[in-house]
Amino acid sequence: DPVTHRPGYTDWSYKLLMHARQLLDNGATLISSAPDPSAVCSTKDEVLLDTIGPGPFTQLLKSSIYPRGLNRTFCSGKGGNAGSAYMYKKGLELLRSQGFVGGLENIAMVGDVFVTDMKGGQDFG
């Protein structure tokens, strides 16, 4: 980080986003953890304190390389285009290792965010 001199970044500056876009323009692959629009939703003194999640940043970067880089963008989290391989498939393997013999119709997805948790479960089957 240019501010703290520690690994990682403490802010999402225009300069950082432009560097990321330049990498993506030149063939880098974009891998995100989750499409969630917000990460934490809480209130203090009746004021909504909604912390932005990774989804909007991912969408911003995807929009900046559209349509050239769409085949190089992957989301490995719930509801993402690669989430089934990294989350739901592994979850099913764990259930099977514990003796579960039913089909997907015998499994319920429980979550708190429809656009990620429920969509991911629905996409998996």
Side-chain angles (χ1 to χ4, degrees):
D1 181 271
V3 176
T4 65
H5 305 292
R6 290 190 225 158
Y9 284 90
T10 58
D11 71 332
W12 288 88
S13 66
Y14 178 77
K15 184 177 179 181
L16 174 65
L17 293 172
M18 288 307 299
H19 283 164
R21 189 194 59 79
Q22 289 169 347
L23 288 169
L24 294 167
D25 273 343
N26 287 286
T29 299
L30 175 62
I31 301 174
S32 62
S33 60
D36 296 298
S38 61
V40 176
C41 190
S42 60
T43 58
K44 180 177 169 103
D45 299 325
E46 299 184 27
V47 175
L48 180 63
L49 305 172
D50 197 8
T51 304
I52 194 165
F57 293 110
T58 302
Q59 284 305 119
L60 176 67
L61 289 170
K62 284 173 70 174
S63 297
S64 74
I65 59 170
Y66 180 84
R68 323 178 279 291
L70 291 184
N71 61 344
R72 293 188 323 271
T73 61
F74 302 95
C75 178
S76 62
K78 307 170 291 187
N81 62 346
S84 288
Y86 292 98
M87 298 189 76
Y88 295 95
K89 185 177 177 184
K90 182 64 177 174
L92 182 57
E93 288 172 6
L94 289 170
L95 283 173
R96 296 243 187 265
S97 72
Q98 296 172 32
F100 177 73
V101 294
L104 293 180
E105 67 276 3
N106 302 113
I107 300 173
M109 174 60 198
V110 178
D112 59 348
V113 180
F114 179 77
V115 296
T116 55
D117 302 333
M118 300 297 124
K119 181 184 180 304
Q122 184 179 15
D123 289 349
F124 187 61

